[in-house]
Amino acid sequence: MIETIQQLKTVIEQDLATIHDPASLETFRLKHLVKKGTLQELVEQMRSVPKEEKPMIGKVLNELRNFVELHFSEAKERVEQKDTGIETLDVTLPGNIPMIGHVHPIRQTLDRIIDIFAGMGFSVAEGIDIEDDYHNYEALNFPADHPARDMQDTFFIKDQKRNDVMLRSHTSPVQIRMMKNHQPPIRSIMPGRVYRNEAVTARSLAEFHQVEGLYIDKGVTFADLKGTVTSFAKQMYGEDSKFTFRPSYFPFTEPSAEVDINCYLCKGNGCRVCKHSGWLEICGCGMVHPNVLRNCGIDPDIYSGFAFGFGIERVTMLATGIDDIRHLYENDMRILSQF
Ligand code: DAH
């Protein structure tokens, strides 16, 4: 009998070690502590123990019972505390660092652009996304049926009363609104969202951002334009970047130019990104066309000025090395959190 009690104690000790949650606690109780459990079974076997041995065996059995009850209640307490989390709260552990949002790379670029131009005395103005033909094209010296309108594939808005409403295809209409509402000198940049009916590819989106620049005063020359754009571009892309002004055409400027920067990837030697030319286009610009000044009530014999426009996504891509414009809109934290 003593031996049976010893064996049970060993089993109980092993079973105690397996208690770590409410389920294993219950399994233990059902096996050992209920009426049909192992302990009770031994109590029943006491009946067949010879009388003279009863006190001694009864004592050993009682010790086992006390042992089990003590350890069971300890285990129970442990499991219950674990359940409420009291025991497991370790205040010395480092906390969970919450994900904190940050400024999107496009907005970061725009903030930097605004900062640089503010340093050169430019204010910031905004226009409207839904424009009419007059501001988006006509006042900018795109006559009706002018082939240059095809340079920008426009989203028109269906309206029963008007057929000249569209999503602006560039930020240049804000120039018109600026000049119509302000007397020179005018020195502003005009950032905003623009829309074009274009296929979405690694290089183009149907919805993107531009910054327009406008400086109108007496005696403004192409040299001022070159100085301003070059100064901006050096601050944006680095002091040792190189630029060229390549003759180009825009209806609203004369003369017009496009500015190229030496390719950041091949440093001008020619590669896939710059299509082996060594240069990447960054900006359109020119001297504001006299017709545009006249359309806005500014006398081109007294005033002159320059304008420029460029895409913000493109600046972001050049400055960060992101090589697919779509990455900027997919909100993939693996990409966004790098900036
Ligand atoms: N609006 C032109 C475009 O979207 C960019 C541009 C070129 C703006 C020359 C200008 C400029 O102000 O002078 O392609």
Side-chain angles (χ1 to χ4, degrees), residues 151-152 169-172 175 196 208 210-213 250 252-253 256-257 283-287 306-310:
M151 284 160 71
Q152 301 170 2
S169 59
H170 52 173
T171 42
S172 300
Q175 284 186 34
R196 287 187 197 174
F208 57 101
Q210 286 186 332
V211 176
E212 194 77 13
F250 301 102
F252 37 94
T253 45
S256 305
C283 173
C285 59
M287 301 306 290
F306 64 73
F308 55 84
F310 54 84

Side-chain angles (χ1 to χ4, degrees), residues 158-197:
K158 279 212 176 95
D159 187 301
Q160 285 178 341
K161 295 188 204 86
R162 300 173 61 164
N163 60 0
D164 64 337
V165 183
M166 61 189 71
L167 293 173
R168 64 177 175 193
S169 59
H170 52 173
T171 42
S172 300
V174 195
Q175 284 186 34
I176 303 298
R177 295 184 179 277
M178 244 350 245
M179 286 189 275
K180 277 187 179 278
N181 293 321
H182 297 86
Q183 288 301 311
I186 297 168
R187 192 157 44 174
S188 283
I189 56 165
M190 296 150 259
R193 203 174 268 247
V194 300
Y195 308 84
R196 287 187 197 174
N197 191 359

Side-chain angles (χ1 to χ4, degrees), residues 42-62:
L42 285 191
V43 171
E44 255 132 62
Q45 283 178 28
M46 280 292 283
R47 281 197 211 125
S48 51
V49 168
K51 220 177 167 188
E52 57 282 8
E53 287 182 19
K54 266 188 184 159
M56 196 268 285
I57 291 178
K59 191 171 165 250
V60 178
L61 192 54
N62 259 338

